[in-house]
Amino acid sequence: METLRRTLAQFRDQFNDMAPSARLQLVVIPLLVLAGLGLVMYYGAGPAEEALLMGKVFSAEELKNAEAALRKVALVQFRVEGQKILVPKTEAARYNGALLISDGGMPDTFGKEFKDALDPNPFMQGSSTQRGDRMDLARAQVLTKMIKAIPFVEDAQILWFRAPGRPSFSGSSRMTATLGVRPRSGHEISSEQAQMLRQAVSGCFGMAAADVTVLDLKTGRAARVADPTDPFNNGYLQKIRDYTNHYQQLISDILKDIPNVLVAVNPEIDPVAGSTEQERKYDSKSIPINQVEETQKEDTNETAPSSEPGVRANAPASQRQQSVTKNTRSNEKTSTSTNNIPSGLRTVTTEKVGLTLKSVQASVSIPKDYYRDVLVKQGVDEADKSAFAARMLQVQSEKEKEVAQRVARLLPVAAGAVAGDAVTVTSYDRLETPETITPVTTTARIGEAVANWGGPLGLALFAMWALWMLNRGMKRTNSAMATAETPRPTAARPLAGSLVMPKEDDGPQEPSKRDQLQGLVKDNPEMAASVIGRWLAPPK
């Protein structure tokens, strides 16, 4: 402790003995050096850092809570630049996970301004409309947190609109909503996911699913309800996209062992949106409910005359023989009708889902470099080019056949078709486009060197100049101190026998005019020479 006190006392004495300019240099120069080093570190930390949450711009409150959440889990290797948090690239995943998992790291401030605007006066009771708006806001905030908790969703916002006017006979006015969703990196919002989000919003606000629009904030495409009158949003093209993405991803996953493989898929779906079939089947046994029996009888008599009518010879004119009955016929008919009802009735209703998948055709292209890498890995010598080429063709044929079999197991085919006919496997030569190297000019090189090393070099030169100036000032101060501390020569003693008695030393004597003149000439000889030259100059 005594050593430290002595050192501080020596430094204080030395600092007090310095000239004002030297004191200023001693304080300002280290501060400038530290500021320069800070600037170099601030602007030089670029590629080694990464912004959290894909460059999210935090608000003031979010930034404060995020810093507190990171410090809470002992993650302190970060810095704030503007409204972003920068961390080392190697630790970005840990920091992102800490922010997403922590409760206070990412506060949800959506709707805060609306909430403050609708906050009722404590001295006045709000109207029913204001209370309804506050309830809608609370629902939106809770629903937004629920949607953000879904794994494929990074951010979500809800904007709703209630049509002005009186409520309809159903009890409430018509309401629409728009849900903006930003999927995470590597994810896309499919039609099924959009329908799920649409149902969540419609169920929360009590509106129809057709009144909810799901907007993909990454692609800017709105996944709306299928409309048969819209050729670009009638569900048919969307189904084709979904089936294409599904089978492309499926085939690419099983062919991960082949680098740079190209997969193209062509699905064929049923253009019918949907159909319903109803079939009624009756039981063969029936029950009679009404029976009617009718009988019809008919008698018929046939007679013929004994002679033809007219005048007969040798007979009176009025005399005529009587007719004689020849035949009598009787006909009787009976008919019975019965009304029956079936004893059992069964109705079968069949609903067929529309836009079903019929078949899928796939085309796979394998780079020829892959076969060469396989042979090299197996240890085949490339010195014999003809043998190597023949071996390469054999491997290509075997691999194409194997890939075709692997892909055919995944694809649905139409009835009566062969699965192998739906897969086409080819090989292609992968051409790498050479990058055009632009010659770097001397000016660009100098500018790049200045941009990279100008700051440290300038800072080093400034530090050397500052140290030189400080050393020079210290030398002057030391010279002045040495001159001031030099002992004055003692007065000559009188010789022995001299009548002059020595004067008693009454203390330090004041410097004489001679001493003052000698000091001025020593400090500034040029000015002294100029003055003396003027004195000695002859009068004109």
Side-chain angles (χ1 to χ4, degrees):
M1 191 68 182
E2 185 65 24
T3 304
L4 180 61
R5 187 179 298 108
R6 188 182 307 157
T7 303
L8 291 177
Q10 292 178 357
F11 178 78
R12 184 175 61 253
D13 295 340
Q14 188 176 5
F15 184 79
N16 293 332
D17 293 338
M18 290 182 180
S21 59
R23 297 178 185 177
L24 183 63
Q25 291 179 2
L26 183 62
V27 174
V28 173
I29 290 176
L31 293 179
L32 292 178
V33 171
L34 293 177
L37 289 174
L39 290 176
V40 171
M41 295 176 62
Y42 180 77
Y43 290 106
E49 293 180 337
E50 181 179 348
L52 291 182
L53 300 179
M54 300 179 65
K56 175 180 175 58
V57 179
F58 294 85
S59 62
E61 183 178 359
E62 290 177 345
L63 192 60
K64 180 179 65 175
N65 294 335
E67 292 180 1
L70 292 177
R71 291 190 179 96
K72 185 177 180 181
V73 293
L75 297 177
V76 295
Q77 295 182 357
F78 66 89
R79 67 181 184 89
V80 179
E81 180 179 353
Q83 296 299 113
K84 298 181 179 181
I85 300 178
L86 301 180
V87 300
K89 280 188 175 181
T90 56
E91 301 290 333
R94 293 179 57 195
Y95 282 78
N96 286 328
L99 286 182
L100 294 176
I101 294 174
S102 62
D103 296 334
M106 291 294 297
D108 192 357
T109 59
F110 171 71
K112 181 180 179 181
E113 295 81 3
F114 298 100
K115 185 177 181 180
D116 295 339
L118 297 175
D119 193 10
N121 192 334
F123 301 100
M124 298 180 62
Q125 187 66 25
S127 62
S128 60
T129 303
Q130 293 179 350
R131 289 194 297 270
D133 292 339
R134 290 196 297 270
M135 287 300 298
D136 291 341
L137 179 59
R139 293 190 191 97
Q141 290 177 339
V142 174
L143 182 61
T144 302
K145 293 181 180 179
M146 294 171 61
I147 294 176
K148 287 182 179 180
I150 300 176
F152 67 87
V153 177
E154 177 184 351
D155 192 12
Q157 293 183 359
I158 301 176
L159 180 64
W160 64 92
F161 173 75
R162 191 182 299 276
R166 296 181 179 179
S168 60
F169 292 102
S170 60
S172 61
S173 58
R174 187 173 183 269
M175 190 175 183
T176 58
T178 299
L179 174 62
V181 178
R182 183 182 299 278
R184 296 190 182 276
S185 178
H187 293 270
E188 293 184 359
I189 300 178
S190 61
S191 59
E192 290 80 8
Q193 294 171 348
Q195 183 64 21
M196 178 266 296
L197 296 174
R198 186 181 293 111
Q199 291 177 356
V201 177
S202 62
C204 178
F205 289 96
M207 66 180 73
D211 294 333
V212 181
T213 301
V214 179
L215 179 64
D216 189 346
L217 299 180
K218 182 181 293 184
T219 61
R221 187 175 60 185
R224 297 171 291 178
V225 179
D227 185 6
T229 61
D230 188 357
F232 296 98
N233 192 33
N234 57 0
Y236 181 78
L237 296 179
Q238 184 64 35
K239 279 292 183 181
I240 292 179
R241 296 191 194 102
D242 294 341
Y243 284 127
T244 301
N245 295 334
H246 172 70
Y247 282 99
Q248 277 185 346
Q249 185 65 34
L250 189 62
I251 296 174
S252 299
D253 290 341
I254 67 169
L255 298 180
K256 283 185 178 180
D257 57 329
I258 304 177
N260 301 316
V261 63
L262 304 180
V263 179
V265 176
N266 180 27
E268 182 183 0
I269 65 176
D270 190 357
V272 179
S275 62
T276 303
E277 295 181 359
Q278 188 173 9
E279 181 182 4
R280 293 184 178 181
K281 296 182 178 181
Y282 298 95
D283 196 351
S284 59
K285 297 180 180 181
S286 60
I287 301 175
I289 60 173
N290 187 17
Q291 186 174 3
V292 178
E293 183 176 354
E294 296 180 356
T295 303
Q296 183 179 4
K297 186 177 181 182
E298 181 181 358
D299 296 334
T300 304
N301 296 323
E302 297 180 357
T303 59
S306 58
S307 61
E308 296 179 1
V311 180
R312 181 177 293 181
N314 301 323
S318 60
Q319 187 178 2
R320 186 176 181 180
Q321 295 182 1
Q322 297 181 356
S323 59
V324 179
T325 301
K326 289 187 175 181
N327 188 13
T328 300
R329 185 174 57 182
S330 178
N331 186 12
E332 184 176 356
K333 182 188 297 183
T334 303
S335 61
T336 303
S337 61
T338 304
N339 295 330
N340 300 327
I341 60 173
S343 60
L345 176 63
R346 184 177 59 180
T347 303
V348 179
T349 303
T350 304
E351 293 185 0
K352 295 183 178 180
V353 180
L355 305 177
T356 55
L357 184 63
K358 291 183 177 180
S359 62
V360 176
Q361 297 178 354
S363 176
V364 180
S365 298
I366 304 174
K368 293 183 178 179
D369 297 341
Y370 170 73
Y371 310 126
R372 178 182 177 279
D373 296 340
V374 170
L375 293 178
V376 171
K377 189 175 181 180
Q378 293 177 355
V380 180
D381 189 10
E382 297 185 65
D384 191 354
K385 295 184 178 180
S386 59
F388 188 83
R391 178 62 177 165
M392 185 173 175
L393 291 176
Q394 181 182 358
V395 173
Q396 175 180 346
S397 177
E398 295 176 354
K399 195 64 179 179
E400 289 180 353
K401 187 176 180 180
E402 177 191 353
V403 170
Q405 293 177 356
R406 291 165 60 185
V407 175
R409 297 189 185 97
L410 303 176
L411 303 182
V413 295
V418 182
D421 298 339
V423 183
T424 303
V425 182
T426 58
S427 300
Y428 72 97
D429 293 321
R430 189 165 61 92
L431 301 178
E432 296 183 358
T433 305
E435 297 181 359
T436 303
I437 302 176
T438 305
V440 182
T441 60
T442 306
T443 306
R445 292 180 179 178
I446 294 175
E448 184 178 358
V450 171
N452 294 333
W453 303 101
L457 182 60
L459 185 61
L461 294 177
F462 177 75
M464 293 175 62
W465 174 81
L467 293 176
W468 178 74
M469 291 294 294
L470 184 60
N471 188 20
R472 182 180 177 185
M474 292 294 295
K475 287 182 178 180
R476 290 182 178 179
T477 304
N478 294 333
S479 300
M481 293 176 62
T483 304
E485 295 177 357
T486 302
R488 296 180 180 274
T490 59
R493 293 183 179 182
L495 298 175
S498 174
L499 297 177
V500 180
M501 297 300 292
K503 296 181 178 180
E504 295 181 0
D505 190 329
D506 297 332
Q509 300 293 330
E510 294 182 359
S512 62
K513 294 183 178 180
R514 178 183 178 185
D515 295 334
Q516 294 179 359
L517 179 61
Q518 184 178 3
L520 292 174
V521 173
K522 183 178 180 180
D523 293 338
N524 199 342
E526 295 179 359
M527 186 179 69
S530 177
V531 173
I532 295 174
R534 289 181 181 180
W535 289 349
L536 299 179
K540 295 182 180 180

